[in-house]
Amino acid sequence: LPMIYRLSAAKLTKGTCGASVDTIVARNLLMMVGRGMAAHASHALHVASTLLKTAQNKTSYKIKEPEKLMSIAAKLNLDASQGTESAAIEAASTAISDLVYDKSAMKFATSYFPVSTGKTLQGLGAIPGSVGSELLAEGHETSMGTMADPVSLILHAARLGVADMASLIISSEFQDVLFGIPAPVQSKIGLNVLDVNKVNVVIHGHVPLLSEKLVELSEDEELLKSAKASGASGINIVGCCCTGNEVLMRHGVPLAGSNLQQELVIATGLVEAFVADIQCIYPNVENVAAKFHTKIITTMKEARLPGALHIQFEEEHADKAAREILETAVANFQKRGKNTYLPKGEPKNLIAGFSVETCLGVLSKINPSDPLKPLIDNIASGNIYGAVLLAGCTSSKVTADASHVTIAKTLMKQNVLVIATGCAAQACARAGLLTPEASQYAGDRLKGVLGLLGETAGLGKPLPPVWHFGSCVDNGRVVILAGSLAEKLGVPVKDLPIAASAAEWMTEKAAAIGTGAVALGVTVHLGVTPPVIGSPAVVSLLTQKSEELFGGKFIVEVDPVKASQLLLEHIKEKRGKLGLAT
Ligand code: MSK
């Protein structure tokens, strides 16, 4: 049993070494945030390394968005005068240095956050050095007999949270450079995006490096010929979790499900290959697949499963790995058994693919010289009462999807704009909230804004009341948008009428994102109680003291209706402080 439970069971307040419950809880939290941050930074390192090798002409990837690359270089204050490849090498090397090498401050943190946020973080010693140096210190501090001061441990967790945010930004920005900036796209979600007549390939995990190639190759003539020779009418790629979100928002690839549906997707008996890269891959997929013909294929060295077929992804040979995977899937089609089941009915429609650039693009049609102004005017007038980001997983500890959906519907009714990422976005999609028709659930004032923006975007219909902003790493996009709004208004992020909610969070990564958001001044609701209640001191640091220090705090409320009220009260308070109508 974890030490904290053994202590409380024995009604003790200290361990044998004298570590208090506050020390133990703070130490455990720091380790949790550290693991989450390591996962995101590892993702970022893969993407940065791919960008670097692409610029060096060592891969078959292309730089699809040279303009965006130049704006990243400008933000980082890099010399981009030698052209695209040189700018890519500079930007990727800066990221790799931020992630791996020891130095005083991560450039992706100091360059991307508003100046006022940077000053607050600097004053609190919360600007991270490289991820590598921070993790080294975290491992050391949390080892037995080292750091025992709970406040220092929590401040270190905040620093790791900030490093996590910077890592998300690296992944999100470079993925756009390599694969394109997402733009609104229509697609579907549900188990019945699987096709009984086709070779079904599920792509699962987080890093879109190999999945981009799989999507591209699924239309390869030779592979389609072999699929037809096997009796299939084609190759059907569907997504799961965040790899699914990535290919959804760039290519419209439909989604089969989120983290909690991964085993169910296989249990349809219709999946020829279940291809996993990294993170949120339940080891149980192997046990379920063993009952069917499904091949579980792992592709990255960090996330291997003991019985899975492993086809290693390497940036330089991505096409070869993708072809081998699809050949394996096609060859497996004829082994599909009779024991198949697909739920009746149609998958749900959805619109995804919102990005900062898309938003600014639409807004600039209203005000070309000052695109943020229409957004600010609508917030000031109360047409948009505030904005809340729904992020994180779906959880088996609560009724899955229900918390996200209840909060989304309650907030939009009160004219709050809802942005969603990760599995939370998929939960909203399953409830039909990513459609123009769902704008009927929004309050009249927000409905008017969605209608105007939909017309301006040329949709001929309102925008959905929930904007799918991408995968978990795309929380970085939301940070960039919030930072731009704050800078435009000349106020710190902590004063904006915004908040975040991780109503069904479950992973260490969600803990890292939440901690980073609080450190940047955003108040975050958690709908599943984090493992800190053994220490009233840590609870107070996270839910009260953090607001004095950073401007953001955690709100813990399991009931989604009450949570919505708390989020609305928070927005009301912020509006009041800005002198806006409440
Ligand atoms: S996939 S981290 S279950 S959101 Fe990003 Fe979903 Fe949570 Fe994984």
Side-chain angles (χ1 to χ4, degrees):
L1 270 179
M3 193 172 177
I4 189 73
Y5 295 120
R6 281 183 277 141
L7 284 180
S8 60
K11 297 200 170 39
L12 293 172
T13 56
K14 284 188 174 65
T16 318
C17 68
S20 67
V21 287
D22 299 329
T23 300
I24 296 164
V25 168
R27 198 163 57 193
N28 288 347
L29 183 68
L30 175 57
M31 288 193 282
M32 184 192 269
V33 173
R35 284 198 299 276
M37 192 269 268
H40 283 142
S42 175
H43 177 154
L45 191 56
H46 280 294
V47 181
S49 157
T50 304
L51 178 61
L52 180 68
K53 289 182 184 173
T54 300
Q56 293 168 335
N57 218 8
K58 293 181 184 164
T59 79
S60 64
Y61 294 102
K62 298 271 173 295
I63 293 175
K64 276 208 181 137
E65 301 281 358
E67 242 178 72
K68 173 143 191 176
L69 174 65
M70 290 303 173
S71 79
I72 294 170
K75 215 161 191 152
L76 295 168
N77 211 9
L78 302 172
D79 177 14
S81 60
Q82 302 301 310
T84 307
E85 277 69 30
S86 154
I89 290 171
E90 287 282 316
S93 304
T94 303
I96 292 168
S97 176
D98 268 3
L99 294 166
V100 181
Y101 304 112
D102 193 8
K103 54 186 204 147
S104 55
M106 281 182 86
K107 221 169 165 192
F108 272 82
T110 53
S111 311
Y112 269 79
F113 304 149
V115 177
S116 60
T117 309
K119 275 188 189 154
T120 306
L121 295 174
Q122 189 79 49
L124 292 164
I127 297 278
S130 70
V131 164
S133 64
E134 291 295 346
L135 285 178
L136 189 70
E138 180 259 311
H140 185 193
E141 282 175 21
T142 56
S143 65
M144 198 284 198
T146 310
M147 176 64 82
D149 173 27
V151 175
S152 299
L153 287 161
I154 296 296
L155 274 176
H156 194 171
R159 205 157 65 240
L160 295 189
V162 174
D164 189 78
M165 285 295 178
S167 304
L168 301 185
I169 289 172
I170 293 172
S171 296
S172 206
E173 293 282 82
F174 288 177
Q175 283 167 192
D176 280 1
V177 168
L178 285 167
F179 306 131
I181 299 167
V185 62
Q186 303 207 18
S187 190
K188 293 183 185 293
I189 186 167
L191 288 181
N192 27 26
V193 299
L194 294 168
D195 189 328
V196 286
N197 298 313
K198 289 186 177 171
V199 174
N200 288 307
V201 178
V202 180
I203 46 181
H204 175 41
H206 281 78
V207 187
L209 297 172
L210 184 55
S211 48
E212 278 284 323
K213 293 287 184 188
L214 288 167
V215 173
E216 194 183 304
L217 257 191
S218 66
E219 295 187 353
D220 176 81
E221 272 184 32
E222 239 178 79
L223 283 162
L224 285 175
K225 218 194 257 173
S226 341
K228 284 186 183 143
S230 301
S233 64
I235 299 172
N236 182 37
I237 309 265
V238 301
C240 189
C241 279
C242 279
T243 290
N245 280 327
E246 296 284 353
V247 288
L248 161 70
M249 62 186 180
R250 293 198 179 86
H251 305 287
V253 169
L255 286 166
S258 356
N259 59 323
L260 289 184
Q261 281 92 37
Q262 57 190 284
E263 293 132 301
L264 291 179
V265 178
I266 298 170
T268 59
L270 290 165
V271 178
E272 275 62 53
F274 185 90
V275 187
D277 51 75
I278 47 169
Q279 304 163 16
C280 302
I281 303 149
Y282 296 166
N284 199 43
V285 292
E286 283 205 297
N287 300 326
V288 181
K291 308 279 181 212
F292 302 92
H293 71 308
T294 305
K295 283 252 186 259
I296 304 285
I297 304 176
T298 51
T299 57
M300 297 184 86
K301 61 183 185 323
E302 299 93 332
R304 295 193 63 159
L305 294 167
L309 170 65
H310 187 75
I311 298 176
Q312 179 64 42
F313 163 77
E314 280 157 1
E315 298 97 330
E316 296 89 340
H317 312 292
D319 297 279
K320 187 170 166 275
R323 185 169 289 278
E324 195 181 337
I325 288 168
L326 291 186
E327 282 171 356
T328 307
V330 168
N332 205 22
F333 181 74
Q334 287 190 328
K335 297 193 188 131
R336 191 187 282 178
K338 297 261 174 287
N339 183 18
T340 63
Y341 171 76
L342 205 51
K344 290 204 171 63
E346 290 296 312
K348 285 265 164 62
N349 289 325
L350 63 88
I351 293 180
F354 287 80
S355 59
V356 179
E357 289 83 351
T358 314
C359 294
L360 292 179
V362 175
L363 291 167
S364 68
K365 290 187 183 164
I366 301 172
N367 187 335
S369 61
D370 192 357
L372 279 177
K373 190 167 184 300
L375 187 60
I376 288 169
D377 289 347
N378 276 296
I379 293 172
S381 69
N383 288 341
I384 299 175
Y385 190 62
V388 170
L389 165 68
L390 302 188
C393 331
T394 52
S395 170
S396 55
K397 288 188 178 167
V398 292
T399 307
D401 287 3
S403 295
H404 291 305
V405 172
T406 304
I407 293 172
K409 281 190 171 173
T410 313
L411 293 178
M412 67 179 71
K413 205 170 191 173
Q414 300 303 322
N415 300 303
V416 172
L417 180 64
V418 179
I419 290 174
T421 53
C423 291
Q426 299 181 1
C428 292
R430 274 188 290 276
L433 299 180
L434 269 56
T435 59
E437 294 71 33
S439 63
Q440 62 174 301
Y441 300 119
D444 286 342
R445 301 184 74 166
L446 178 63
K447 211 185 287 177
V449 178
L450 296 171
L452 171 71
L453 291 177
E455 288 300 328
T456 311
L459 207 66
K461 287 176 178 180
L463 287 187
V466 176
W467 293 1
H468 185 306
F469 245 67
S471 63
C472 298
V473 299
D474 291 318
N475 288 312
R477 294 186 198 280
V478 188
V479 170
I480 294 171
L481 185 58
S484 310
L485 261 181
E487 292 207 306
K488 172 88 190 151
L489 282 167
V491 299
V493 170
K494 71 181 173 65
D495 290 348
L496 295 176
I498 61 170
S501 166
E504 304 185 24
W505 78 280
M506 55 167 285
T507 66
E508 301 103 330
K509 291 179 291 166
I513 295 173
T515 307
V518 166
L520 296 185
V522 179
T523 284
V524 177
H525 157 248
L526 300 176
V528 175
T529 309
V532 297
I533 47 172
S535 164
V538 172
V539 170
S540 148
L541 271 169
L542 299 177
T543 59
Q544 292 165 21
K545 192 80 184 155
S546 59
E547 193 170 27
E548 287 166 37
L549 297 173
F550 295 97
K553 65 174 183 216
F554 283 105
I555 299 171
V556 181
E557 176 53 67
V558 179
D559 179 335
V561 176
K562 287 186 191 156
S564 307
Q565 290 315 317
L566 293 171
L567 289 164
L568 284 167
E569 276 165 31
H570 173 78
I571 290 172
K572 185 176 177 184
E573 187 194 320
K574 297 292 171 185
R575 288 186 67 89
K577 281 192 183 152
L578 285 173
L580 303 176
T582 57

